[in-house]
């Protein structure tokens, strides 16, 4: 209808389960303070593997957060997703169960490896005891789409549902899918990503990645943008957001925390980090175009920060290519250096940090990084106060995906 205001996708709820916090506010406090929580991996069965350092989610008791019927049929990565979704729905003032119109709310998640811990346990039963001892939920719990399905069933949501399998950049791609669904007419979506890659089978699979850091000491394992960069440390956990149509949010007096303004994605090939320069720059330009945003309007960049020298250099050059002179002046941060890269979930955690940074006017530091070798204004040591209106979040995957997302500050109020 002519004259009708375009539908805008806004973030109204956030939930987090991460190595540095089991709630969104706790996560932000840790990120803002630059806490470093990478440590030796302590999960049973991992003691003798060459992957030593990671970001573990500790003190998480799934039995306290997930009802028994769901608990027994889901893997740890889905436990994280359901717990984070419950937080996000509460934060948005929606809640779970019996929505007035269940078809108005959908679910999108991204996932990398799925339920490795559950799968390993059932396969051990198969090898050690026989097929009759394998539980029926093995057929669904490992599946990368399990979290979408379980959140949908658990919450009673029957709107558009899907899973994005596009490498680590899938976290940003899932948010973009949700935003576009809102613009097409869906009222709200639960969207995000969680991972649980710190089980023996999953860790053995990861050892095939040349970009993985096998450093023994946590302080030396993951040092993006430095001369000591030697790869990344993996992490578990993730974040879930509620993305909804702006007028709906305002009609029900929900605070508008941020606006999902623009997104673009490209593909440049597995481990071809020099080529990722071009692909990431193209994604940045595409996201800015969709957002109607000039390069100079970007107030902070949340970097992909792989911690591989060639990849770090490509990212720094991509920022200069896409943002021009502003690319060397804009503040850049990588909070994930303090907790590790949670694959698909890493970028959703960065979006969460970006929303909080926009709200509080503080750019969080890059933990444990003190001396960089690239032409970037990397925020280090402590949070930097700043007037923030627009954030750019970047992500790349080991298989070659690149994505960029522009997030604008919300007004924090319903009206």
């Amino acid at each position: 209808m002519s004259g009708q205001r375009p539908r805008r996708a806004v973030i109204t709820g956030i939930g987090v389960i991460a190595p540095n916090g089991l709630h969104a506010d706790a996560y932000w406090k840790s990120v803002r303070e630059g806490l470093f929580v990478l440590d030796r991996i302590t999960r049973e069965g991992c003691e003798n593997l060459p992957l030593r350092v990671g970001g573990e989610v500790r003190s998480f008791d799934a039995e306290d957060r997930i009802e028994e019927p769901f608990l027994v049929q889901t893997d740890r990565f889905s436990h994280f997703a359901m717990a984070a979704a419950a937080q996000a729905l509460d934060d948005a003032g929606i809640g779970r169960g019996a929505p007035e119109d269940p078809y108005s709310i959908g679910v999108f998640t991204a996932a990398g490896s799925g339920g490795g811990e559950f799968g390993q346990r059932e396969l051990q039963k198969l090898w050690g005891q026989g097929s009759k001892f394998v539980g029926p939920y093995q057929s669904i719990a490992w599946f990368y789409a399990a979290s979408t399905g379980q959140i949908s069933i658990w919450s009673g949501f029957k709107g558009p549902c899907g899973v994005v399998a596009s490498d680590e950049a899938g976290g940003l791609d899932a948010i973009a899918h949700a935003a576009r669904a809102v613009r097409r007419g869906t009222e709200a979506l639960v969207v995000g990503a969680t991972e649980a890659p710190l089980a023996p089978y999953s860790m053995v699979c990861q050892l095939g990645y040349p970009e993985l850091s096998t450093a023994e000491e946590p302080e030396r394992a993951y040092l993006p943008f430095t001369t000591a960069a030697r790869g990344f440390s993996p992490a578990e956990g993730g974040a879930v957001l509620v993305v909804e149509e702006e007028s709906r949010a305002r009609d029900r007096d929900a605070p508008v925390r941020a606006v999902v303004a623009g997104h673009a994605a490209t593909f440049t090939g597995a481990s071809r980090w020099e080529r990722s320069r071009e692909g990431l720059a193209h994604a940045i330009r595409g996201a800015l175009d969709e957002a109607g945003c000039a390069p100079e309007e970007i107030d902070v960049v949340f970097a992909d920060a792989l911690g591989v020298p060639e990849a770090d250099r490509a990212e720094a050059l991509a920022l200069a290519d896409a943002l021009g002179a502003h690319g060397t002046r804009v503040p850049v941060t990588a909070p994930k250096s303090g907790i590790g890269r949670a694959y698909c979930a890493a970028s959703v955690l960065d979006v969460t940090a970006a929303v909080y940074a926009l709200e509080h006017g503080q750019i969080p530091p890059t933990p444990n990084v003190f001396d960089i070798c690239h032409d970037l204004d990397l925020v280090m040591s402590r949070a930097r106060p700043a007037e923030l209106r627009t954030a750019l979040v970047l992500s790349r995957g080991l298989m070659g995906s690149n994505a960029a997302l522009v997030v604008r500050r919300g007004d924090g109020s319903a009206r």
Side-chain angles (χ1 to χ4, degrees):
M1 185 181 298
S2 61
Q4 189 175 39
R5 182 179 178 179
R7 293 171 63 89
R8 286 209 309 176
V10 300
I11 296 170
T12 57
I14 301 176
V16 171
I17 301 292
N20 59 346
L22 302 183
H23 188 275
D25 289 343
Y27 166 75
W28 166 245
K29 180 179 179 181
S30 175
V31 165
R32 182 188 61 206
E33 294 177 0
L35 296 186
F36 180 79
V37 301
L38 278 176
D39 206 345
R40 295 293 292 265
I41 296 169
T42 62
R43 300 293 297 281
E44 183 179 357
C46 301
E47 301 87 354
N48 298 316
L49 296 176
L51 174 56
R52 304 290 191 182
V53 176
E56 287 187 77
V57 173
R58 296 173 177 168
S59 303
F60 176 82
D61 189 344
E63 293 182 2
D64 289 342
R65 298 169 182 261
I66 313 296
E67 294 90 335
E68 179 65 21
F70 292 95
L71 191 65
V72 299
Q73 58 184 280
T74 47
D75 179 78
R76 184 172 172 87
F77 90 107
S78 292
H79 299 163
F80 292 154
M82 295 167 78
Q87 288 181 36
L89 289 165
D90 287 344
D91 187 39
I94 294 177
R96 293 193 296 119
E100 183 176 338
D101 179 5
Y103 294 96
S104 68
I105 304 177
V107 184
F108 274 106
T109 65
S113 57
E117 184 177 89
F118 195 107
Q120 176 176 336
R121 184 171 64 245
E122 297 304 312
L123 288 174
Q124 285 176 325
K125 293 178 184 177
L126 174 65
W127 298 330
Q129 298 171 274
S131 60
K132 293 182 179 180
F133 292 87
V134 177
Y137 298 120
Q138 164 64 4
S139 61
I140 60 170
W142 70 271
F143 195 40
Y144 57 86
S147 294
T148 289
Q150 295 292 3
I151 291 172
S152 175
I153 295 167
W154 192 48
S155 302
F157 301 150
K158 300 181 180 181
C161 290
V163 61
V164 179
S166 58
D167 213 354
E168 284 96 319
L172 295 186
D173 294 344
I175 295 172
H177 274 277
R180 286 162 190 158
V182 164
R183 293 171 196 143
R184 290 193 299 266
T186 302
E187 292 301 317
L189 289 105
V190 179
V191 58
T194 56
E195 302 273 19
L198 302 184
Y201 172 74
S202 298
M203 286 172 59
V204 169
C205 292
Q206 292 168 73
L207 289 172
Y209 298 143
E211 295 86 357
L212 191 75
S213 172
T214 54
E216 297 272 347
E217 302 83 10
E219 293 77 12
R220 299 181 63 188
Y222 183 26
L223 296 165
F225 301 117
T226 71
T227 56
R230 55 190 303 172
F232 72 93
S233 295
E236 57 182 358
V240 172
L241 316 174
V242 173
V243 173
E244 62 182 301
E245 202 280 318
E246 183 178 23
S247 62
R248 166 196 159 97
R250 296 188 183 282
D251 286 346
R252 62 183 194 81
D253 295 325
V256 174
R257 302 192 64 172
V259 178
V260 182
H263 165 270
T266 62
F267 179 79
T268 47
S271 296
R272 302 173 76 172
W273 298 117
E274 288 187 7
R275 290 192 62 183
S276 76
R277 170 185 178 178
E278 178 184 359
L280 189 59
H282 192 80
I284 294 169
R285 294 188 192 102
L288 294 178
D289 286 345
E290 185 174 78
C293 178
E296 295 76 20
E297 292 181 65
I298 298 299
D299 299 309
V300 60
V301 175
F302 284 75
D304 175 62
L306 186 62
V308 172
E310 298 85 356
D312 291 347
R313 180 175 184 273
E315 183 170 19
L317 292 172
L319 280 171
D321 293 343
L323 302 182
H326 189 59
T328 60
R329 297 193 299 261
V330 63
V332 176
T333 185
K336 60 173 71 73
S337 70
I339 64 173
R341 289 171 64 93
Y343 293 101
C344 282
S347 59
V348 188
L349 286 167
D350 278 347
V351 171
T352 295
V355 172
Y356 273 94
L358 293 170
E359 289 177 335
H360 292 271
Q362 290 186 303
I363 303 171
T366 305
N368 196 44
V369 172
F370 306 104
D371 185 19
I372 66 170
C373 60
H374 299 279
D375 192 10
L376 294 172
D377 180 16
L378 192 71
V379 179
M380 298 177 284
S381 300
R382 62 180 61 86
R384 182 187 299 179
E387 178 65 28
L388 303 176
R389 298 168 300 277
T390 306
L392 175 66
V393 183
L394 305 179
S395 181
R396 291 172 298 178
L398 300 178
M399 297 299 107
S401 295
N402 313 285
L405 186 78
V406 175
V407 181
R408 293 191 186 275
R409 185 175 63 197
D411 58 16
S413 64
R415 300 187 186 280

